[in-house]
Structures are given as C-alpha cells and as structure tokens.
Amino acid sequence: MNVETLGAIFATRMLELVSADGSIRPVWIKIGKPRKYEKNIRFCPYQIIGIGDEKIRYALGSDALQSLILTLTKIGADIYGSPESKARKLTWMEDESHNLGIPVFAEVYGDVVPAPSMSLVL
C-alpha cells in the first residue's frame, strides 16, 4: 500500500529541534483522519516534517481507533528512535527533560524515553 497524502489532518504536534548553534526550528507531526482500506481494515496516515525523510507512513487496524493507536505507537518509535531525540535535541513545550508526550512500548524504547515520560509508556 502506498499512501501519498495525509487526507484530512485531524491532529498535529510541534516539537522543537535545537541546533548546535542554539537556533530552534520546528518539527511537525501531522496525523490524518483514519480511512477505510478494505472491508474490515482502516489505516491512519502520519508524517513527521523537519527530521528524517518526511515520508508519509501509516498503520493498519481493524477499526479507526486501532489504526490511530498503532499510528501513535509508530510515531513514538520514529521520534524516540531518531538521532535527534537520542542526542536530546528535541523538546516539546520547553520541557528540558525531553519528554515529548508521545507514548511508546517500554519493551522497545523504555531505555531512551526520559524518566518523566515513563507515565506514557504502554
């Protein structure tokens, strides 16, 4: 499946990327509204703009809620697994702990999520 557009965007988050010179630039997370793929399958597209390849990605689920939950999980993996996050260059809402407010699975990324974010670990 190749998704070329986000469709109707229903959620966004702006993170900040702090450069070596101290300048700040935005990193946008955009989530499209879940859509029908096949009879009992929905997909939820997302895009991260400002780091990585900026490709539109998606998660599949048996309904809109499952596709959204899986999309949020994939976003967490993409963000916390990025070189920028590992270098602690991403922030959200000026939180110096680097809590980006995105849920992740502890088994996969529990070691890279800052301690204050642990309440967001699934």
Side-chain angles (χ1 to χ4, degrees):
M1 180 173 156
N2 184 24
V3 178
E4 296 183 7
T5 67
L6 290 173
I9 295 171
F10 85 101
T12 62
R13 170 159 296 169
M14 188 189 78
L15 305 176
E16 293 182 334
L17 176 63
V18 181
S19 300
D21 66 2
S23 63
I24 296 173
R25 65 183 170 106
V27 173
W28 285 97
I29 299 169
K30 296 182 179 185
I31 303 173
K33 182 179 174 183
R35 303 191 300 251
K36 185 176 182 175
Y37 174 59
E38 291 180 354
K39 183 179 179 184
N40 293 318
I41 300 175
R42 301 292 184 267
F43 74 97
C44 184
Y46 70 95
Q47 185 177 28
I48 300 171
I49 301 169
I51 60 172
D53 62 11
E54 300 187 2
K55 181 179 176 181
I56 295 175
R57 292 179 165 74
Y58 62 90
L60 296 170
S62 59
D63 59 20
L65 181 59
Q66 185 181 38
S67 69
L68 174 58
I69 291 168
L70 293 173
T71 290
L72 292 172
T73 302
K74 287 183 71 175
I75 289 169
D78 289 350
I79 289 292
Y80 284 114
S82 72
E84 294 84 359
S85 178
K86 289 179 179 179
R88 300 180 64 82
K89 298 294 184 186
L90 290 175
T91 62
W92 176 54
M93 297 178 61
E94 300 179 8
D95 185 341
E96 293 183 13
S97 73
H98 300 280
N99 173 352
L100 304 176
I102 300 167
V104 296
F105 283 102
E107 296 84 10
V108 179
Y109 287 99
D111 62 330
V112 297
V113 178
S117 297
M118 292 311 286
S119 61
L120 297 171
V121 174
L122 304 173

